[in-house]
Amino acid sequence: MTRVAVTGVTGYVGGRLVPELLAAGHQVRAVARRTHRLQGRPWADDVELAEADAGDLDQVRDALDGVDVAYYLIHSLGTGPRFAARDRRTALTFAQAAREAGVRRIVYLGGLYPEGKDLSPHLESRKEVGEILLASGVPTTVLRAAVIIGSGSASFEMMRYLTERLPVMTTPRWVDNRVQPIAIRDVLRYLVGSATMPADVNRSFDIGGPQVLRYRDMMQRYAAVAGLRPRVVLGVGALSPRLSSLWVSLVTPVPGPLARPLVESLVHEVVCDEHDIATYVPDPPEGLLGFDESVRLALQRIGEADVATRWSSASVPGAPSDPLPSDPDWAGGTLYRDERRTRVQAPADAVWQVLQAVGGERGWYSWSLAWRARGVLDRLWGGPGLRRGRRHPTRLTVDDAVDFWRVEEIVPGRMLRLRAEMRLPGLAWLELAVRPEADGSSTLRQLATFHPHGLPGQLYWAAVAPFHGVVFGGMQRGMRVAAERLVTSRTDVTGTGVSDPGGASS
C-alpha cells in the first residue's frame, strides 16, 4: 500500500483527488493549515489528518514523514509581485521538506504554457514552481493542464457564466486562441497514476483532452450541450488582460483577483506538445473524455433531486465532475433561492397534513387569483397549467402530478419536494419541510429554487422576484393558519386526512 500525502485538500482538485486515491487503495494523509475545515468531509474518517503551514519547514517535514508520494496542489492567485514570491518560497520549503522526510516522489499539477514565449505572471509562476520541484532531488512528476472541465473549476465556471449570460457578446482577441481542455476525470486519472511511476522518471508531462478548440468554439459547444441558442460572438480587436478581466468580473460572479490570472493565461495558445504521459498512465479503453461529454457530465446533475442543495450542502459527488461543498460560492452556475421559515403553533404531524394537501381543489394557501393567472399563462405557452389537479385530495406519492408541479421526493412527515413542469426559461423546485420543536410547536420551511436557462432565465427571475413576498410569503402564512386551525378542530380529521386543511387559501 502506497502512503500518500495531499496538500491543497480544501481546493478544487485536492478535494476530488482524495476519494480517488482511497478508491485506488492508497493510504492517504490530508495536509491542511487548519484540519478542522476537513471535518464533515465524507472521507475525513478514512484518512489521516496532518496540520501544517505550507511556509513552515518543520511543520511540512513532519506532515510528510513516512510518506511515499507527496502531492503538491498549492497555488497562489494574484497579480502583484508578492504572489510569485510566495509561490517560490512555498515550493522551496516543500521541496526541502520532502527531501529531508525521505519522500520518494512529488506530484505537481501546474499550468500548460507555450515554450519560448513571454508568459503571464500566473503561468510564469506555475512554470517556476515546477522547475523548483524537478530540481528538488526527489523524483517529480509535473502535470501541465490548460482549461479543466468540471463544475467548480474556475476556468470552466468563467466560460459557463459568459456563455449562459451573454447571448450576444463582444470579446477580446484571445477568444480565437486555441486551447486543449481536459476533463477533471482525466486529470484525476493522471494524478492517481503518477503515484506509481518508476523511480527514474523526473520530468513534466503535457496533459489535455482529445480536442483542440478555439475559446469561442468552446463557448458555442457549451451552449449546444446546455440547450442554449448559438451565441453571437463579435471580436473587438486588442483588449488588455486587465480590461478583459474587469469585463469578466462585471458579467460573471468570478472574483476579479481570480479572473485576471485566468484571462492572462488565455492570452496564450495552450496546446499539448506531447502525450508521453500515456507511457506511464495509459489512456482508458474508451479514450479520453471529449469536450462535449465533459460539459455534459459537469451539467448532468441539473434536474436531479439534489439540485436544490447541491450548491451549498451536497455531501459527496457521484463523479469528479460534480460540485463539492468546498467549492466557492460562485461555482456551480447560477441558482436563485427564496427561503422562508415560520414558527407554527401546531405539532409537526398537523403541519405535514397541510403540506400534503397542497394544490388541486384546495389551492396554494395564498393569492388564488395570482396562481390562476399563472396557470392560464402556462396553458397559453403550451404548459399543463392548473388543469391536472392532483390524484388524491390528501395523499401524495413520488411522481404524482400536482397542478403544474410533479412530486420529486417525499420524506414522510418531514419534507415534500415539487419540480415545476410549467413552461419556464429554466428549472424550478418548491420544497416544503416541517421540523418539530421541543415545545410541541413546529418550524415550517419553504424553499423555492430556480436554475435559469440563459439570459431569459435571469430576466424571468428578476421579473417575478418582487412578487415572492406576496405569493410565497402569503403561502407560508396560509399553511401556518391552516395547521393551527386543524389543531383546534381535531374532530374534523378523518381516516383519510384533513377535512379542510386548505381553509385559509380563500
Side-chain angles (χ1 to χ4, degrees):
M1 179 182 293
T2 305
R3 296 163 298 176
V4 303
V6 182
T7 61
V9 289
T10 58
Y12 171 69
V13 175
R16 288 161 171 80
L17 177 60
V18 169
E20 297 295 314
L21 289 168
L22 290 171
H26 298 301
Q27 182 179 329
V28 179
R29 180 181 298 167
V31 183
R33 180 183 299 178
R34 300 179 183 87
T35 54
H36 71 270
R37 295 179 61 190
L38 305 178
Q39 299 299 327
R41 302 292 175 89
W43 41 260
D45 293 336
D46 300 320
V47 305
E48 178 186 354
L49 301 180
E51 199 159 279
D53 186 316
D56 188 304
L57 177 61
D58 293 335
Q59 290 184 18
V60 176
R61 187 194 302 114
D62 290 343
L64 299 183
D65 183 49
V67 164
D68 301 310
V69 179
Y71 285 87
Y72 188 74
L73 303 175
I74 299 172
H75 296 305
S76 298
L77 283 173
T79 56
R82 290 186 178 181
F83 92 92
R86 185 166 57 249
D87 266 356
R88 184 181 308 114
R89 289 194 304 270
T90 304
L92 288 167
T93 298
F94 189 87
Q96 181 179 346
R99 184 172 60 252
E100 295 178 359
V103 172
R104 297 191 305 192
R105 176 162 299 279
I106 295 172
V107 181
Y108 168 61
L109 177 62
L112 185 62
Y113 53 85
E115 298 289 351
K117 300 287 187 180
D118 291 332
L119 301 177
S120 68
H122 173 70
L123 282 180
E124 187 64 49
S125 179
R126 297 292 182 267
K127 176 183 177 182
E128 183 182 20
V129 168
E131 292 171 344
I132 289 172
L133 298 177
L134 287 168
S136 66
V138 178
T140 297
T141 301
V142 175
L143 303 178
R144 307 191 307 184
V147 173
I148 298 177
I149 306 298
S151 184
S153 163
S155 50
F156 173 76
E157 294 298 340
M158 185 176 79
M159 180 184 64
R160 180 210 296 260
Y161 285 116
L162 287 174
T163 308
E164 290 188 349
R165 295 188 172 186
L166 297 175
V168 179
M169 64 187 93
T170 56
T171 58
R173 185 176 298 163
W174 51 257
V175 298
D176 287 316
N177 286 347
R178 296 185 305 150
V179 181
Q180 191 163 353
I182 183 170
I184 181 62
R185 186 196 72 173
D186 290 324
V187 172
L188 296 175
R189 279 189 66 258
Y190 289 138
L191 285 168
V192 173
S194 295
T196 54
M197 281 189 175
D200 60 347
V201 176
N202 185 62
R203 56 163 292 185
S204 62
F205 297 90
D206 293 352
I207 60 172
Q211 296 151 307
V212 176
L213 303 166
R214 294 182 304 166
Y215 197 85
R216 73 162 69 226
D217 296 332
M218 290 167 55
M219 290 192 291
Q220 296 289 16
R221 294 177 76 147
Y222 176 95
V225 173
L228 302 171
R229 294 179 181 274
R231 284 9 216 165
V232 178
V233 181
L234 306 173
V236 295
L239 192 63
S240 71
R242 181 177 180 275
L243 291 176
S244 294
S245 63
L246 290 174
W247 169 67
V248 170
S249 298
L250 178 66
V251 174
T252 79
V254 178
L258 179 56
R260 183 164 181 179
L262 291 176
V263 168
E264 288 177 340
S265 299
L266 293 169
V267 170
H268 309 284
E269 290 203 335
V270 280
V271 178
C272 297
D273 289 329
E274 42 82 12
H275 189 54
D276 297 347
I277 186 68
T279 303
Y280 305 98
V281 186
D283 293 345
E286 67 277 13
L288 299 174
L289 211 58
F291 179 82
D292 292 0
E293 184 61 22
S294 302
V295 171
R296 194 170 292 110
L297 287 174
L299 302 180
Q300 70 176 355
R301 294 174 78 84
I302 300 296
E304 293 184 8
D306 65 348
V307 169
T309 57
R310 65 190 285 267
W311 270 261
S312 58
S313 60
S315 55
V316 61
S321 304
D322 294 339
L324 278 180
S326 56
D327 292 343
D329 292 341
W330 46 263
T334 303
L335 190 74
Y336 293 114
R337 296 160 60 93
D338 184 290
E339 184 171 6
R340 300 169 188 269
R341 297 172 187 264
T342 190
R343 184 64 70 90
V344 183
Q345 299 304 316
D349 69 302
V351 179
W352 178 248
Q353 285 182 287
V354 170
L355 299 189
Q356 275 215 106
V358 70
E361 293 183 2
R362 290 189 173 89
W364 293 87
Y365 300 101
S366 73
W367 203 7
S368 298
L369 180 61
W371 285 96
R372 293 193 191 102
R374 184 64 182 87
V376 170
L377 288 175
D378 191 57
R379 288 289 302 277
L380 293 175
W381 292 338
L386 298 177
R387 70 184 188 278
R388 295 189 304 186
R390 45 182 292 157
R391 178 184 57 82
H392 190 280
T394 58
R395 291 198 300 269
L396 291 174
T397 59
V398 172
D399 287 333
D400 274 357
V402 183
D403 295 334
F404 43 40
W405 303 86
R406 178 77 59 180
V407 178
E408 186 170 79
E409 184 177 357
I410 293 180
V411 180
R414 292 175 50 196
M415 187 273 290
L416 167 67
R417 180 182 293 135
L418 304 172
R419 183 182 70 251
E421 292 188 337
M422 65 192 79
R423 299 284 290 180
L424 289 170
L427 302 169
W429 293 263
L430 179 62
E431 184 173 293
L432 305 172
V434 58
R435 182 186 68 201
E437 301 296 343
D439 62 359
S441 66
S442 306
T443 295
L444 171 62
R445 175 177 175 267
Q446 180 179 301
L447 174 63
T449 309
F450 181 64
H451 179 75
H453 192 65
L455 183 60
Q458 308 277 342
L459 297 176
Y460 173 81
W461 180 264
V464 300
F467 300 99
H468 285 174
V470 177
V471 176
F472 290 133
M475 181 178 176
Q476 191 169 61
R477 289 189 296 272
M479 289 188 291
R480 173 179 58 79
V481 171
E484 291 173 352
R485 285 180 179 174
L486 176 62
V487 173
T488 61
S489 57
R490 282 289 187 176
T491 55
D492 292 334
V493 178
T494 70
T496 58
V498 186
S499 63
D500 189 19
S505 63
S506 58

